[in-house]
Amino acid sequence: MTSPRILIIYTGGTIGMMANPATGALETFDWEHVSNCVPELQRFHYRIDALTFGKPIDSSDMEPKYWARMVEIIAENYDRYDGFVLLHGTDTMAFTASALSFMLENLGKPVIITGSQLPIGQLRTDGKENLLTSIEVAAAQHPDGRPMVPEVCIFFENRLMRGNRTTKINSEGFNAFRSHNYHSLAHAGIHIKFEEPFILRRDPSLPFRPHYLLDNHVMILTLFPGIREEVVESVLSLPSLRGLILKTYGAGNAPQKPWLFERLKALSRRGVVIVNTTQCSLGAVEMGRYESSLQLIEAGVINGHDMTLECVVTKLMFLLGHNYSAERIQQLMNTSIAGEATLPSS
Ligand code: ASP
Protein backbone atom coordinates (compact mmCIF):
# COMPACT_ATOMS: atom_id res chain seq x y z
CA MET A 1 0.00 0.00 0.00
CA THR A 2 1.43 3.45 -0.91
CA SER A 3 1.33 6.13 1.76
CA PRO A 4 -1.67 8.47 1.55
CA ARG A 5 -1.33 11.83 -0.15
CA ILE A 6 -3.00 14.74 1.60
CA LEU A 7 -3.60 18.26 0.33
CA ILE A 8 -4.03 21.02 2.92
CA ILE A 9 -5.89 24.06 1.68
CA TYR A 10 -5.39 27.08 3.89
CA THR A 11 -8.24 29.58 3.53
CA GLY A 12 -7.64 31.72 6.64
CA GLY A 13 -9.25 32.05 10.06
CA THR A 14 -7.88 32.23 13.60
CA ILE A 15 -5.76 29.10 13.18
CA GLY A 16 -3.21 31.04 11.10
CA MET A 17 -3.70 34.51 12.56
CA MET A 18 -1.16 36.66 14.37
CA ALA A 19 -1.67 39.66 16.62
CA ASN A 20 -0.95 43.01 14.97
CA PRO A 21 1.63 44.59 17.33
CA ALA A 22 0.12 48.06 16.86
CA THR A 23 -3.59 47.31 17.38
CA GLY A 24 -3.52 43.94 19.14
CA ALA A 25 -6.18 42.72 16.65
CA LEU A 26 -5.76 39.30 15.06
CA GLU A 27 -4.88 39.44 11.37
CA THR A 28 -4.59 36.61 8.86
CA PHE A 29 -1.11 35.26 8.24
CA ASP A 30 -0.03 32.46 5.90
CA TRP A 31 0.55 28.72 5.63
CA GLU A 32 4.31 29.06 6.15
CA HIS A 33 3.61 30.50 9.57
CA VAL A 34 1.15 27.71 10.39
CA SER A 35 3.53 24.94 9.35
CA ASN A 36 6.45 26.52 11.22
CA CYS A 37 4.38 26.35 14.39
CA VAL A 38 3.73 22.62 13.90
CA PRO A 39 7.04 20.78 13.47
CA GLU A 40 5.10 17.54 14.17
CA LEU A 41 3.91 17.70 10.56
CA GLN A 42 7.32 16.32 9.53
CA ARG A 43 6.65 13.14 11.49
CA PHE A 44 3.74 11.94 9.35
CA HIS A 45 4.66 9.29 6.86
CA TYR A 46 2.08 10.70 4.44
CA ARG A 47 2.88 12.95 1.55
CA ILE A 48 1.51 16.32 2.63
CA ASP A 49 1.28 19.29 0.31
CA ALA A 50 -0.28 22.63 1.11
CA LEU A 51 -1.59 25.54 -0.80
CA THR A 52 -2.85 28.90 0.28
CA PHE A 53 -6.13 30.04 -1.04
CA GLY A 54 -5.45 33.43 -2.67
CA LYS A 55 -5.33 35.96 0.14
CA PRO A 56 -6.35 34.16 3.37
CA ILE A 57 -9.57 35.57 4.79
CA ASP A 58 -11.35 35.89 8.07
CA SER A 59 -14.29 33.59 7.49
CA SER A 60 -16.74 36.38 8.29
CA ASP A 61 -15.88 37.51 4.75
CA MET A 62 -16.91 34.17 3.26
CA GLU A 63 -18.83 34.37 -0.03
CA PRO A 64 -20.25 31.81 -2.49
CA LYS A 65 -17.49 32.72 -4.97
CA TYR A 66 -14.94 31.40 -2.45
CA TRP A 67 -16.86 28.11 -2.13
CA ALA A 68 -16.68 27.79 -5.91
CA ARG A 69 -12.90 28.37 -5.70
CA MET A 70 -12.56 25.67 -3.02
CA VAL A 71 -14.51 23.25 -5.21
CA GLU A 72 -12.28 24.15 -8.14
CA ILE A 73 -9.12 23.45 -6.13
CA ILE A 74 -10.47 20.09 -4.92
CA ALA A 75 -11.62 19.14 -8.43
CA GLU A 76 -8.27 20.09 -9.98
CA ASN A 77 -6.42 17.98 -7.41
CA TYR A 78 -8.97 15.21 -6.99
CA ASP A 79 -6.99 12.46 -8.70
CA ARG A 80 -3.66 13.46 -7.17
CA TYR A 81 -4.67 13.21 -3.49
CA ASP A 82 -6.38 10.71 -1.20
CA GLY A 83 -7.80 13.33 1.15
CA PHE A 84 -8.16 17.06 1.70
CA VAL A 85 -7.88 19.18 4.84
CA LEU A 86 -9.37 22.64 4.65
CA LEU A 87 -8.21 25.17 7.25
CA HIS A 88 -10.98 27.67 7.79
CA GLY A 89 -12.22 30.27 10.28
CA THR A 90 -14.81 28.94 12.69
CA ASP A 91 -17.40 31.69 12.21
CA THR A 92 -18.80 30.45 8.90
CA MET A 93 -17.22 27.00 8.85
CA ALA A 94 -20.60 25.26 9.09
CA PHE A 95 -21.89 27.20 6.06
CA THR A 96 -18.84 26.23 4.04
CA ALA A 97 -19.10 22.59 5.10
CA SER A 98 -22.76 22.50 4.10
CA ALA A 99 -22.19 24.24 0.77
CA LEU A 100 -19.31 21.93 -0.18
CA SER A 101 -21.34 18.84 0.72
CA PHE A 102 -23.76 19.76 -2.09
CA MET A 103 -21.22 21.15 -4.53
CA LEU A 104 -19.00 18.05 -4.40
CA GLU A 105 -21.44 15.48 -5.78
CA ASN A 106 -20.51 11.80 -5.36
CA LEU A 107 -17.46 12.76 -3.33
CA GLY A 108 -15.39 9.63 -2.81
CA LYS A 109 -12.61 11.17 -0.68
CA PRO A 110 -12.46 12.85 2.73
CA VAL A 111 -12.70 16.64 2.87
CA ILE A 112 -12.03 17.51 6.51
CA ILE A 113 -12.57 21.11 7.57
CA THR A 114 -10.97 22.40 10.73
CA GLY A 115 -9.70 25.55 12.40
CA SER A 116 -9.16 26.75 15.94
CA GLN A 117 -10.28 29.16 18.61
CA LEU A 118 -6.71 30.24 19.44
CA PRO A 119 -4.04 31.01 16.82
CA ILE A 120 -1.68 28.12 16.20
CA GLY A 121 1.33 30.10 17.46
CA GLN A 122 -0.17 30.59 20.93
CA LEU A 123 0.88 28.39 23.82
CA ARG A 124 -2.53 26.89 24.65
CA THR A 125 -3.68 26.64 21.04
CA ASP A 126 -6.29 24.10 20.04
CA GLY A 127 -5.12 24.46 16.44
CA LYS A 128 -2.31 21.92 16.59
CA GLU A 129 -4.48 19.00 17.74
CA ASN A 130 -7.23 19.94 15.33
CA LEU A 131 -4.83 20.11 12.40
CA LEU A 132 -2.88 16.92 13.20
CA THR A 133 -5.97 14.82 13.85
CA SER A 134 -7.73 16.16 10.76
CA ILE A 135 -4.78 15.03 8.67
CA GLU A 136 -4.98 11.56 10.25
CA VAL A 137 -8.70 11.38 9.56
CA ALA A 138 -8.23 12.50 5.94
CA ALA A 139 -5.61 9.77 5.50
CA ALA A 140 -7.51 6.99 7.28
CA GLN A 141 -8.32 4.05 5.02
CA HIS A 142 -9.92 0.64 5.27
CA PRO A 143 -7.51 -2.31 4.82
CA ASP A 144 -8.56 -2.52 1.14
CA GLY A 145 -7.56 1.12 0.57
CA ARG A 146 -11.05 2.67 0.58
CA PRO A 147 -11.17 6.01 2.45
CA MET A 148 -12.69 5.74 5.89
CA VAL A 149 -14.77 8.94 5.63
CA PRO A 150 -15.60 9.86 2.03
CA GLU A 151 -17.58 12.96 2.92
CA VAL A 152 -17.29 16.63 3.90
CA CYS A 153 -16.77 16.78 7.66
CA ILE A 154 -15.85 19.21 10.39
CA PHE A 155 -13.29 18.03 12.90
CA PHE A 156 -13.11 20.05 16.09
CA GLU A 157 -11.97 19.25 19.62
CA ASN A 158 -11.97 15.43 19.43
CA ARG A 159 -15.13 15.12 17.39
CA LEU A 160 -15.64 14.38 13.71
CA MET A 161 -19.04 15.53 12.48
CA ARG A 162 -20.86 15.49 9.16
CA GLY A 163 -20.30 18.98 7.77
CA ASN A 164 -23.89 19.71 6.77
CA ARG A 165 -25.16 18.66 10.22
CA THR A 166 -22.86 20.92 12.17
CA THR A 167 -23.35 24.30 13.86
CA LYS A 168 -21.00 26.61 15.75
CA ILE A 169 -22.35 26.79 19.30
CA ASN A 170 -19.59 28.45 21.29
CA SER A 171 -17.66 31.64 20.56
CA GLU A 172 -15.09 30.97 23.26
CA GLY A 173 -14.73 27.32 24.28
CA PHE A 174 -12.59 24.85 22.35
CA ASN A 175 -15.60 22.57 22.03
CA ALA A 176 -17.15 24.94 19.54
CA PHE A 177 -19.22 22.74 17.21
CA ARG A 178 -22.15 20.39 17.59
CA SER A 179 -24.09 18.08 15.37
CA HIS A 180 -27.38 18.21 17.26
CA ASN A 181 -29.45 15.97 15.04
CA TYR A 182 -26.90 13.43 13.83
CA HIS A 183 -24.42 11.11 15.44
CA SER A 184 -20.70 12.05 15.41
CA LEU A 185 -18.73 10.16 12.77
CA ALA A 186 -15.65 9.62 14.95
CA HIS A 187 -14.16 10.46 18.33
CA ALA A 188 -10.46 11.09 18.82
CA GLY A 189 -9.10 9.86 22.12
CA ILE A 190 -6.13 7.54 22.50
CA HIS A 191 -7.42 6.02 19.26
CA ILE A 192 -9.56 7.58 16.58
CA LYS A 193 -12.79 5.59 16.78
CA PHE A 194 -14.84 5.75 13.61
CA GLU A 195 -18.59 5.21 13.88
CA GLU A 196 -18.92 3.33 10.63
CA PRO A 197 -22.70 2.84 10.56
CA PHE A 198 -23.15 6.62 10.50
CA ILE A 199 -20.67 7.39 7.73
CA LEU A 200 -22.07 7.97 4.23
CA ARG A 201 -21.74 5.07 1.85
CA ARG A 202 -21.32 6.20 -1.71
CA ASP A 203 -21.87 4.19 -4.84
CA PRO A 204 -18.29 4.06 -6.22
CA SER A 205 -19.59 3.62 -9.76
CA LEU A 206 -20.99 7.19 -9.73
CA PRO A 207 -18.47 9.74 -11.00
CA PHE A 208 -17.36 12.68 -8.85
CA ARG A 209 -19.06 15.85 -10.13
CA PRO A 210 -18.06 19.31 -8.95
CA HIS A 211 -20.73 22.04 -9.07
CA TYR A 212 -20.11 25.76 -9.11
CA LEU A 213 -23.48 27.47 -9.43
CA LEU A 214 -25.17 29.06 -6.43
CA ASP A 215 -27.90 31.67 -6.31
CA ASN A 216 -27.75 33.87 -3.23
CA HIS A 217 -31.08 35.68 -3.71
CA VAL A 218 -32.23 34.19 -0.43
CA MET A 219 -33.26 35.66 2.90
CA ILE A 220 -33.80 34.46 6.46
CA LEU A 221 -36.84 35.69 8.36
CA THR A 222 -36.82 34.91 12.08
CA LEU A 223 -40.22 35.06 13.75
CA PHE A 224 -40.64 36.58 17.20
CA PRO A 225 -43.63 37.65 19.30
CA GLY A 226 -44.64 41.12 18.17
CA ILE A 227 -43.19 40.88 14.66
CA ARG A 228 -44.65 43.72 12.60
CA GLU A 229 -46.44 43.43 9.30
CA GLU A 230 -44.66 46.34 7.62
CA VAL A 231 -41.23 44.89 8.44
CA VAL A 232 -42.19 41.48 7.04
CA GLU A 233 -43.69 43.16 4.02
CA SER A 234 -40.53 45.10 3.27
CA VAL A 235 -38.50 41.88 3.28
CA LEU A 236 -41.01 39.86 1.29
CA SER A 237 -41.56 42.47 -1.37
CA LEU A 238 -37.97 42.38 -2.63
CA PRO A 239 -38.42 41.72 -6.36
CA SER A 240 -35.17 39.72 -6.63
CA LEU A 241 -36.04 37.31 -3.82
CA ARG A 242 -36.04 33.64 -4.94
CA GLY A 243 -35.83 31.79 -1.64
CA LEU A 244 -37.02 32.51 1.90
CA ILE A 245 -36.05 30.62 5.03
CA LEU A 246 -38.62 31.03 7.75
CA LYS A 247 -37.25 30.45 11.25
CA THR A 248 -40.32 29.32 13.12
CA TYR A 249 -41.05 28.23 16.67
CA GLY A 250 -40.79 24.69 18.03
CA ALA A 251 -42.02 22.04 15.63
CA GLY A 252 -42.39 24.61 12.85
CA ASN A 253 -45.12 26.90 14.14
CA ALA A 254 -45.93 30.50 13.23
CA PRO A 255 -48.31 33.05 14.76
CA GLN A 256 -51.79 32.72 13.30
CA LYS A 257 -51.90 36.13 11.69
CA PRO A 258 -53.94 36.22 8.47
CA TRP A 259 -51.65 38.88 6.97
CA LEU A 260 -48.63 36.57 7.42
CA PHE A 261 -50.25 33.64 5.64
CA GLU A 262 -51.55 35.88 2.86
CA ARG A 263 -48.08 37.34 2.29
CA LEU A 264 -46.47 33.89 2.27
CA LYS A 265 -49.10 32.53 -0.08
CA ALA A 266 -48.59 35.43 -2.49
CA LEU A 267 -44.85 34.89 -2.32
CA SER A 268 -45.01 31.19 -3.16
CA ARG A 269 -47.47 31.96 -5.98
CA ARG A 270 -44.75 34.27 -7.35
CA GLY A 271 -42.44 31.23 -7.47
CA VAL A 272 -40.38 32.06 -4.36
CA VAL A 273 -39.39 28.90 -2.48
CA ILE A 274 -40.17 29.14 1.25
CA VAL A 275 -38.60 26.67 3.67
CA ASN A 276 -39.63 26.16 7.28
CA THR A 277 -36.80 25.65 9.79
CA THR A 278 -37.15 25.65 13.54
CA GLN A 279 -35.45 28.04 15.96
CA CYS A 280 -34.71 24.99 18.15
CA SER A 281 -31.27 23.44 17.75
CA LEU A 282 -32.51 19.92 18.43
CA GLY A 283 -35.40 18.18 16.73
CA ALA A 284 -37.30 18.63 13.50
CA VAL A 285 -40.03 20.63 11.87
CA GLU A 286 -43.23 18.66 11.77
CA MET A 287 -45.64 20.63 9.66
CA GLY A 288 -49.30 19.91 10.31
CA ARG A 289 -48.86 18.89 13.93
CA TYR A 290 -50.44 22.15 15.08
CA GLU A 291 -52.95 24.34 13.33
CA SER A 292 -50.35 27.13 13.24
CA SER A 293 -48.19 25.10 10.89
CA LEU A 294 -51.07 23.60 8.87
CA GLN A 295 -51.67 27.07 7.48
CA LEU A 296 -48.03 27.25 6.43
CA ILE A 297 -48.52 24.11 4.33
CA GLU A 298 -51.55 25.76 2.71
CA ALA A 299 -49.40 28.82 1.99
CA GLY A 300 -46.95 26.60 0.07
CA VAL A 301 -44.18 26.47 2.68
CA ILE A 302 -41.79 23.49 2.40
CA ASN A 303 -40.65 21.36 5.34
CA GLY A 304 -37.01 21.91 6.37
CA HIS A 305 -37.09 18.74 8.53
CA ASP A 306 -34.13 18.64 10.95
CA MET A 307 -31.66 20.46 8.70
CA THR A 308 -29.47 23.13 10.27
CA LEU A 309 -29.93 26.74 9.22
CA GLU A 310 -26.50 26.66 7.56
CA CYS A 311 -27.58 23.62 5.60
CA VAL A 312 -30.93 25.05 4.47
CA VAL A 313 -29.35 28.34 3.35
CA THR A 314 -26.68 26.63 1.24
CA LYS A 315 -28.95 23.87 -0.07
CA LEU A 316 -31.42 26.49 -1.24
CA MET A 317 -28.63 28.51 -2.91
CA PHE A 318 -27.44 25.30 -4.57
CA LEU A 319 -30.87 24.24 -5.85
CA LEU A 320 -31.79 27.76 -7.00
CA GLY A 321 -28.40 28.01 -8.69
CA HIS A 322 -29.38 25.02 -10.82
CA ASN A 323 -32.56 26.76 -11.91
CA TYR A 324 -34.77 23.86 -10.94
CA SER A 325 -38.51 24.49 -10.89
CA ALA A 326 -40.17 25.22 -7.53
CA GLU A 327 -41.70 21.70 -7.64
CA ARG A 328 -38.33 20.07 -8.19
CA ILE A 329 -36.82 22.15 -5.37
CA GLN A 330 -39.64 21.05 -3.09
CA GLN A 331 -38.91 17.43 -4.02
CA LEU A 332 -35.18 17.82 -3.35
CA MET A 333 -35.81 19.64 -0.07
CA ASN A 334 -37.71 16.52 0.94
CA THR A 335 -34.75 14.35 -0.09
CA SER A 336 -31.52 13.90 1.80
CA ILE A 337 -29.05 14.41 -1.03
CA ALA A 338 -25.84 14.52 1.02
CA GLY A 339 -26.92 13.02 4.33
CA GLU A 340 -28.18 16.40 5.53
CA ALA A 341 -31.68 15.46 6.73
CA THR A 342 -33.48 12.79 8.70
CA LEU A 343 -36.69 12.19 6.82
CA PRO A 344 -39.77 10.84 8.57
CA SER A 345 -39.53 7.46 6.82
CA SER A 346 -35.75 7.05 7.28
N1 ASP B 1 -13.28 35.37 12.84
C1 ASP B 1 -12.56 34.13 12.74
C2 ASP B 1 -12.95 33.45 11.44
O1 ASP B 1 -13.99 32.87 11.37
C3 ASP B 1 -12.85 33.26 13.91
C4 ASP B 1 -12.17 31.91 13.90
O2 ASP B 1 -11.42 31.54 13.04
O3 ASP B 1 -12.41 31.19 14.86
O4 ASP B 1 -12.21 33.53 10.49
Side-chain angles (χ1 to χ4, degrees), residues 12-15 17 57-60 88-92 116-117 168:
T14 297
I15 193 161
M17 285 181 177
I57 55 168
D58 183 301
S59 81
S60 326
H88 194 290
T90 56
D91 288 345
T92 58
S116 65
Q117 295 280 62
K168 181 173 178 182

Side-chain angles (χ1 to χ4, degrees), residues 29-174:
F29 214 61
D30 60 14
W31 167 252
E32 195 106 341
H33 162 70
V34 176
S35 56
N36 286 342
C37 294
V38 193
E40 293 88 342
L41 283 169
Q42 313 305 326
R43 293 171 52 190
F44 280 122
H45 65 278
Y46 318 135
R47 184 184 130 197
I48 301 176
D49 295 324
L51 60 84
T52 301
F53 175 78
K55 183 183 176 312
I57 55 168
D58 183 301
S59 81
S60 326
D61 287 321
M62 191 49 61
E63 289 284 338
K65 67 176 180 199
Y66 296 131
W67 294 332
R69 179 66 192 126
M70 292 175 204
V71 168
E72 196 174 44
I73 293 174
I74 292 171
E76 280 167 5
N77 291 285
Y78 195 74
D79 295 329
R80 282 199 285 273
Y81 292 92
D82 299 298
F84 301 85
V85 174
L86 209 85
L87 301 184
H88 194 290
T90 56
D91 288 345
T92 58
M93 188 183 284
F95 285 93
T96 295
S98 296
L100 295 190
S101 76
F102 301 118
M103 296 166 85
L104 301 168
E105 189 184 344
N106 300 328
L107 180 69
K109 302 188 177 189
V111 173
I112 313 299
I113 310 180
T114 196
S116 65
Q117 295 280 62
L118 274 179
I120 209 156
Q122 285 195 11
L123 212 51
R124 288 191 312 107
T125 185
D126 51 331
K128 256 192 193 189
E129 292 306 316
N130 286 348
L131 170 62
L132 296 171
T133 310
S134 295
I135 294 173
E136 283 207 43
V137 169
Q141 295 178 340
H142 289 279
D144 63 2
R146 278 179 304 120
M148 197 60 97
V149 197
E151 51 174 303
V152 178
C153 301
I154 286 183
F155 179 81
F156 222 87
E157 176 77 354
N158 305 333
R159 216 186 292 242
L160 183 72
M161 293 155 281
R162 175 165 301 155
N164 57 30
R165 294 288 198 152
T166 309
T167 299
K168 181 173 178 182
I169 51 119
N170 197 328
S171 62
E172 206 189 292
F174 289 158

Side-chain angles (χ1 to χ4, degrees), residues 213-215 242 316-324 329:
L213 301 176
L214 295 163
D215 185 338
R242 293 195 65 209
L316 201 50
M317 283 188 189
F318 175 78
L319 298 176
L320 291 170
H322 284 73
N323 260 324
Y324 293 129
I329 293 182

Side-chain angles (χ1 to χ4, degrees), residues 9-30:
I9 304 161
Y10 174 65
T11 70
T14 297
I15 193 161
M17 285 181 177
M18 276 188 88
N20 177 322
T23 62
L26 290 174
E27 290 176 356
T28 48
F29 214 61
D30 60 14

